[in-house]
C-alpha cells in the first residue's frame, strides 16, 4: 500500500463508511491521530524474509546469503502490486545491486514449483516458507545483514479496535502469527541438528 491509500482508508474509517483494512507496509506510513496503525510499535504480523532455492542450488551450501550473491541469480518475485515485490526491489536499489527479476508469480505453490525446477531463487517471508523447511528438494537460507522484514499492519480508528469482532480478528491473527513463527523456529532447529 502506498501512504496515500492508507490515508484514504483512514478518511473512510473516520467517516464510518469503511471497515478495518490491512496492508503490507514498508516503510510504515505516518497517519493521523484519529487513525490507529499498528506498524511502528506493534505490527499485526512481522516476518523475516529469507531466500528460497533448490536444494542443489549453488547458494544452498552457504549458511547465509550475501546481497551481492543474490544479485547474480535470476529471481522469482511476486506480481506487481504485491508489497513483497516493492520491498525486494527497494532493497536491491538501496544497495546499488541489480535485481534480476525473471518471473512474476502470485501463488506459493507456483513459487515452490518453479524454484524446484531451475536455478531461480526467491525472497519470501518466513510464513510462506513453513512447508519448505522440511522439503528435501528445497533449501531456505537467511540473508546476511541487513535482513528484511515484512510487516503487515491493521489500520482502523481507535474506537473500532474496541468492537469485539475487530478486536478478536486482531488477537486471532497475532496468535496465529506467533504459532507460525514458533513452528518455523522448531523446524529450523531440527534442521540444524541434522
Amino acid at each position: 500500500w502506498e501512504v496515500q491509500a492508507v490515508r484514504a482508508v483512514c478518511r473512510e474509517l473516520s467517516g464510518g463508511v469503511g471497515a478495518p483494512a490491512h496492508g503490507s507496509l514498508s516503510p510504515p506510513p505516518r497517519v493521523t491521530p484519529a487513525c490507529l496503525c499498528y506498524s511502528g510499535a506493534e505490527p499485526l504480523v512481522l516476518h523475516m524474509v529469507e531466500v528460497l532455492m533448490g536444494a542443489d542450488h549453488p547458494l544452498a551450501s552457504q549458511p547465509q546469503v550475501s546481497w551481492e550473491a543474490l544479485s547474480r541469480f535470476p529471481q522469482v518475485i511476486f506480481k506487481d502490486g504485491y508489497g513483497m515485490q516493492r520491498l525486494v526491489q527497494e532493497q536491491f536499489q538501496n544497495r546499488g545491486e541489480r535485481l534480476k527479476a525473471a518471473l512474476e508469480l502470485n501463488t506459493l505453490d507456483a513459487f515452490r514449483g518453479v524454484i524446484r525446477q531451475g536455478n531461480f531463487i526467491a525472497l519470501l517471508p518466513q510464513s510462506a516458507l513453513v512447508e519448505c523447511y522440511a522439503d528435501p528438494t528445497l533449501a531456505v537460507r537467511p540473508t546476511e545483514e541487513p535482513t528484511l522484514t515484512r510487516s503487515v499492519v491493521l489500520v482502523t480508528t481507535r474506537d473500532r479496535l474496541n468492537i469485539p469482532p475487530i478486536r478478536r480478528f486482531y488477537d486471532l491473527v497475532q496468535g496465529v502469527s506467533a504459532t507460525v513463527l514458533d513452528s518455523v523456529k522448531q523446524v529450523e532447529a531440527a534442521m540444524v541438528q541434522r
Side-chain angles (χ1 to χ4, degrees), residues 23-28 38-40 42-49 84 87 125 148-154:
S24 182
L25 301 169
S26 178
Y38 282 96
S39 58
E42 191 176 351
L44 187 59
V45 178
L46 183 65
H47 295 137
M48 297 297 296
V49 174
M84 275 300 300
L87 181 67
L148 291 180
T149 55
R150 180 188 68 159
S151 180
V152 179
V153 298
L154 174 72

Side-chain angles (χ1 to χ4, degrees), residues 97-154:
E97 302 283 354
R98 182 171 170 255
L99 171 64
K100 292 184 179 177
L103 188 61
E104 292 183 356
L105 299 172
N106 64 353
T107 68
L108 298 176
D109 284 338
F111 271 89
R112 289 188 292 264
V114 168
I115 295 296
R116 278 187 194 101
Q117 301 302 317
N119 206 31
F120 296 110
I121 56 175
L123 288 158
L124 297 170
Q126 284 179 326
S127 60
L129 297 168
V130 172
E131 294 177 21
C132 300
Y133 291 102
D135 186 330
T137 66
L138 297 170
V140 178
R141 300 291 181 269
T143 63
E144 288 182 352
E145 293 293 331
T147 57
L148 291 180
T149 55
R150 180 188 68 159
S151 180
V152 179
V153 298
L154 174 72

